Amino acid sequence: MPKYTFKHAVWHEEASEIGNGFVHLLPEHIRRHSWRDESKDMTVNILHVDTSMPGEEKIWGSLIYRHSPKDKKDMKTLHFYLSKDILLTNRLDYEEDEDMDQERIHEHMEHAGSTTELLMILLGAMTGSLLHKIDVFEERLHQLLWEIKEKNNRNTLAEIENVRHEILLWKNVILGFIEMKMVMPETFGKEILENPEYYRTSSRISRMEMLINAYEHEVNNMVDMENVVANYRGNEIMKTLTVLTTLFTPVMAFGALWGMNFEHMPELEWTFGYLASLIIIVLSTAILYFYLKNKGWTGDILQTLKRDSNVKNSRGE
């Protein structure tokens, strides 16, 4: 597979981390390391550091740089070994990501002064791709924010939960990049902090972290808003049912009373018994209604009904 030789650095991009070419380029003690076995069915990032020999520092591991929200096994991983002499990686998936332009990455690497810069350029391309996907995710989040206002229902709540799950996946992916940002100066010294490529990529990683944390906070606010709306609607429904039940209590009470089949019921012989029963029912219901209204227990319900009616009229429904 390709060996790219730049002015001050070399990058070997092998087809797979399990191929003979990849293994042959690793130092003997790393070949025997459990890392390659761990990376076969990996679910989390793997990172190892060796600083035992001054001037021969190295890092190696596996970084998940893309994870599908629909399939937990659909992950794209960068397997790498980095020393001051060589950068060794598996082949990246350029075809499925238009933001990972192989030619532009190579042009950028022509100006690299070390293998650490090569890796930071590679990570910078990955973070650029992630930031573009985060922008698309932000548009979806914006639409969801207005759906909560305009058509809040069970589907909206389900979409909020889907978005919440995706944010957790974003955080897991970004966590690996944050760890890479921290391990570079830990391994190769603070001098790398002054490197322009390290600074650019670190800034992108920090920007990703800031955006995802902000989105997480926004989604949490959506969940809180959804809970408030659901509780308010539930309370309004229970209050409405309680008031309606109370208002119809006289009707049910007198209906039960005059629906009895006792042999001696004086009301059955009244000339104006039917009219009197209607008057008593209406009067008792009215008295109960005005009592509830005077207490302020029906105000919110009546205002809500009136407002909904005005909204429908304004829409021409």
Side-chain angles (χ1 to χ4, degrees), residues 42-61:
M42 61 179 294
T43 56
V44 295
N45 297 301
I46 302 171
L47 188 60
H48 297 282
V49 177
D50 183 3
T51 57
S52 58
M53 295 293 292
E56 298 183 12
E57 296 86 356
K58 54 186 73 72
I59 60 175
W60 66 94

Side-chain angles (χ1 to χ4, degrees), residues 266-316:
E267 295 91 340
L268 295 177
E269 299 177 0
W270 292 355
T271 303
F272 299 101
Y274 180 71
L275 179 61
S277 64
L278 291 179
I279 293 173
I280 292 172
I281 291 173
V282 172
L283 186 61
S284 59
T285 302
I287 292 172
L288 186 58
Y289 168 75
F290 285 110
Y291 174 78
L292 295 175
K293 185 178 180 181
N294 186 54
K295 288 289 187 179
W297 295 344
T298 63
D300 291 341
I301 295 174
L302 295 178
Q303 290 175 9
T304 301
L305 294 175
K306 183 178 179 181
R307 183 169 60 252
D308 291 343
S309 177
N310 291 337
V311 170
K312 289 183 178 180
N313 291 333
S314 66
R315 293 177 178 175

Side-chain angles (χ1 to χ4, degrees), residues 49-234:
V49 177
D50 183 3
T51 57
S52 58
M53 295 293 292
E56 298 183 12
E57 296 86 356
K58 54 186 73 72
I59 60 175
W60 66 94
S62 302
L63 173 69
I64 299 172
Y65 65 91
R66 195 187 308 157
H67 197 170
S68 171
K70 298 179 181 179
D71 185 357
K72 66 179 181 180
K73 295 183 179 180
D74 185 5
M75 296 182 294
K76 301 300 180 183
T77 307
L78 172 69
H79 304 280
F80 68 94
Y81 165 78
L82 175 68
S83 67
K84 290 187 175 181
D85 300 322
I86 184 177
L87 170 63
L88 172 64
T89 70
N90 63 314
R91 179 171 173 78
L92 300 180
D93 187 3
Y94 300 105
E95 289 76 15
E96 291 188 13
D97 197 334
E98 63 180 3
D99 295 304
M100 293 285 291
D101 189 324
Q102 186 178 15
E103 184 176 348
R104 291 185 63 185
I105 291 173
H106 288 181
E107 289 177 357
H108 195 170
M109 286 179 171
E110 289 290 345
H111 305 284
S114 65
T115 55
T116 56
E117 288 187 39
L118 290 181
L119 181 58
M120 296 315 295
I121 291 172
L122 207 55
L123 295 179
M126 292 177 180
T127 52
S129 174
L130 289 173
L131 282 168
H132 180 259
K133 291 176 173 59
I134 289 175
D135 289 339
V136 176
F137 179 79
E138 184 178 7
E139 294 179 7
R140 180 181 168 194
L141 201 62
H142 180 75
Q143 293 176 357
L144 181 59
L145 184 63
W146 282 99
E147 284 183 8
I148 292 177
K149 177 179 175 60
E150 296 172 353
K151 51 178 181 180
N152 195 2
N153 52 34
R154 185 181 301 175
N155 293 333
T156 304
L157 181 59
E159 182 63 16
I160 291 175
E161 291 303 317
N162 289 336
V163 167
R164 206 175 195 180
H165 175 257
E166 287 189 39
I167 285 180
L168 292 177
L169 289 179
W170 279 114
K171 294 195 75 169
N172 283 335
V173 170
I174 293 173
L175 193 61
F177 286 89
I178 295 173
E179 189 176 7
M180 288 296 299
K181 180 179 75 171
M182 298 174 67
V183 82
M184 294 298 286
E186 173 192 342
T187 306
F188 298 104
K190 63 180 181 181
E191 294 81 9
I192 198 172
L193 298 175
E194 301 175 0
N195 185 280
E197 298 301 339
Y198 176 83
Y199 179 80
R200 291 191 189 100
T201 301
S202 296
S203 298
R204 287 183 177 181
I205 294 171
S206 298
R207 183 150 57 101
M208 284 196 304
E209 183 182 15
M210 179 274 295
L211 287 172
I212 291 302
N213 287 336
Y215 296 157
E216 183 180 32
H217 180 69
E218 189 173 344
V219 170
N220 288 337
N221 287 338
M222 287 183 186
V223 173
D224 293 339
M225 186 188 304
E226 186 71 21
N227 289 334
V228 169
V229 171
N231 290 334
Y232 174 77
R233 286 180 174 176

